[in-house]
Amino acid sequence: MARKTVSLQPASRQVLERMGRNIKKARLRRNIRAKLLAEQAGISTDTLSAIERGVSTVSIGAYAAVLAVLGLERDFEMVAIDEDGKQRYQESGLYRRKRATGTFRKEACEEKKK
């Protein structure tokens, strides 16, 4: 099967690489061999190696399985929970506009008729 490619911004790539290094450090601190962790997580050693390198094509399920085996599933729950960041994003003006209501569309149609 052909390898998928994912185009990431450099900052996102660095985050994945850091996360991979942190997962590897957690495994080593627990004295768990890569082969054993991969077996317990239900993934191949190649996939575990890719996770530890921060490869972007690894499924999020594989990350979840590894974190669960390491006892770090609470860390996984913290992804995208940043409420302050959410508010900053909304204030930046980059968020999507709300959908127009039916009333607005009706008024726009009536103006076109005039």
Side-chain angles (χ1 to χ4, degrees), residues 25-37:
K25 286 177 188 176
R27 176 178 64 80
L28 294 174
R29 280 193 305 268
R30 289 163 177 76
N31 272 337
I32 300 174
R33 291 183 178 205
K35 184 176 180 179
L36 179 62
L37 178 58

Side-chain angles (χ1 to χ4, degrees), residues 24-95:
K24 184 173 184 174
K25 286 177 188 176
R27 176 178 64 80
L28 294 174
R29 280 193 305 268
R30 289 163 177 76
N31 272 337
I32 300 174
R33 291 183 178 205
K35 184 176 180 179
L36 179 62
L37 178 58
E39 286 174 4
Q40 291 179 346
I43 60 174
S44 69
T45 53
D46 288 341
T47 300
L48 177 59
S49 175
I51 288 172
E52 291 180 345
R53 290 190 326 269
V55 175
S56 63
T57 55
V58 177
S59 76
I60 196 163
Y63 276 94
V66 168
L67 291 173
V69 171
L70 293 172
L72 299 172
E73 56 270 87
R74 292 283 300 157
D75 290 352
F76 197 65
E77 291 176 13
M78 299 304 291
V79 173
I81 200 167
D82 178 28
E83 288 300 317
D84 292 334
K86 179 181 173 183
Q87 186 172 354
R88 283 193 307 272
Y89 176 72
Q90 289 173 341
E91 291 171 352
S92 72
L94 296 175
Y95 64 95

Side-chain angles (χ1 to χ4, degrees), residues 8-22 54 63:
L8 291 178
Q9 296 291 325
S12 298
R13 189 174 300 113
Q14 290 171 354
V15 167
L16 278 177
E17 289 169 358
R18 256 192 323 271
M19 191 164 75
R21 284 192 304 269
N22 290 342
Y63 276 94

